[in-house]
Amino acid sequence: MLKAWISDDDANGYLLNSMASSFSEKGGVFEKYNIELDRTHGLPKDISNSKLAIIAAHGGVSYTNSNFSTISDEGNLRVHYLDFAERIQNCTVVILFVCNSGRFDTHPEYSTTISLQKELLNKGCSAVIASPWPLKGFMTFKWLPEFMKSWVDEKKQLQEAVFDANTYIQNYYNDPSDSLALTIYGNPFLQY
């Protein structure tokens, strides 16, 4: 099953609703690939164990230590990334359209790193696609359909599909931080 979560609480912004509208429009990527969209303005309800889980939200960095720490919507939802990861377990592929969600931060007490994508891999997800820096949300409108075409329609490996989508959006964005934003963590050889 292919699933997505984009909160519908838009009290303080419009980007996430714009993403949901664009992806859900007639003939859009969600309809074309039969992706079930959860618009709950709380934690995702039933996204674990999916073949593909697409998450669109905002990522927050802690003011005290500059580590990635929270997932939020454009309303009142603000949760620690560990609590969020509990809701997304055992997915084959997770796409995080979440700023900074692909970064690794140094653990404050141990000789290791902490990160959302590492936590998702520990929770049984096979691969996570995320950006280690702030992500321009509007690039996702072009990135996701190209990724799905390459991975689902053309049956390419995950690494090839991400490469194709990153290359495709270079036609629209000159800044490499936009066009090379999404990176694979975990198994790059997965095929649909």
Side-chain angles (χ1 to χ4, degrees):
M1 186 138 228
L2 310 181
K3 297 185 178 184
W5 174 76
I6 305 173
S7 169
D8 67 353
D9 192 342
D10 62 353
N12 300 309
Y14 63 90
L15 177 61
L16 298 178
N17 262 346
S18 296
M19 290 171 80
S21 295
S22 175
F23 295 152
S24 299
E25 68 188 4
K26 183 116 177 95
V29 68
F30 284 178
E31 180 182 356
K32 181 175 181 181
Y33 295 100
N34 198 28
I35 298 170
E36 181 184 315
L37 175 60
D38 177 0
R39 296 297 317 269
T40 304
H41 58 268
L43 292 171
K45 294 200 181 307
D46 185 30
I47 207 162
S48 290
N49 303 302
S50 301
K51 184 168 192 141
L52 174 67
I54 301 166
I55 306 297
H58 295 290
V61 177
S62 169
Y63 292 111
T64 57
N65 59 15
S66 296
N67 288 351
F68 181 81
S69 61
T70 58
I71 302 287
S72 62
D73 63 7
E74 291 173 333
N76 297 316
L77 177 68
R78 186 175 188 87
V79 296
H80 193 271
Y81 78 89
L82 291 174
D83 296 326
F84 191 79
E86 287 293 325
R87 297 296 182 111
I88 309 167
Q89 298 185 34
N90 302 312
C91 294
T92 305
V93 175
V94 178
I95 298 175
L96 296 172
F97 292 140
V98 179
C99 290
N100 301 304
S101 62
R103 59 186 277 176
F104 286 98
D105 295 311
T106 304
H107 194 286
E109 298 173 12
Y110 302 106
S111 223
T112 188
T113 59
I114 53 176
S115 63
L116 175 56
Q117 79 280 12
K118 180 180 175 183
E119 194 62 31
L120 291 172
L121 293 171
N122 288 340
K123 298 281 183 199
C125 297
S126 300
V128 178
I129 300 169
S131 174
W133 51 74
L135 183 68
K136 284 202 169 78
F138 288 105
M139 65 76 86
T140 64
F141 297 174
K142 300 211 181 290
W143 190 94
L144 185 59
E146 190 66 21
F147 168 81
M148 295 299 289
K149 179 181 90 167
S150 184
W151 193 52
V152 177
D153 298 340
E154 297 172 4
K155 307 289 188 222
K156 293 185 178 180
Q157 291 181 347
L158 196 61
Q159 63 186 346
E160 296 169 303
V162 170
F163 176 79
D164 288 349
N166 285 351
T167 302
Y168 177 75
I169 63 169
Q170 287 179 7
N171 296 320
Y172 301 94
Y173 298 97
N174 293 327
D175 185 349
S177 68
D178 296 328
S179 58
L180 299 175
L182 292 161
T183 304
I184 302 169
Y185 304 89
N187 184 353
F189 305 112
L190 294 169
Q191 290 182 283
Y192 183 77

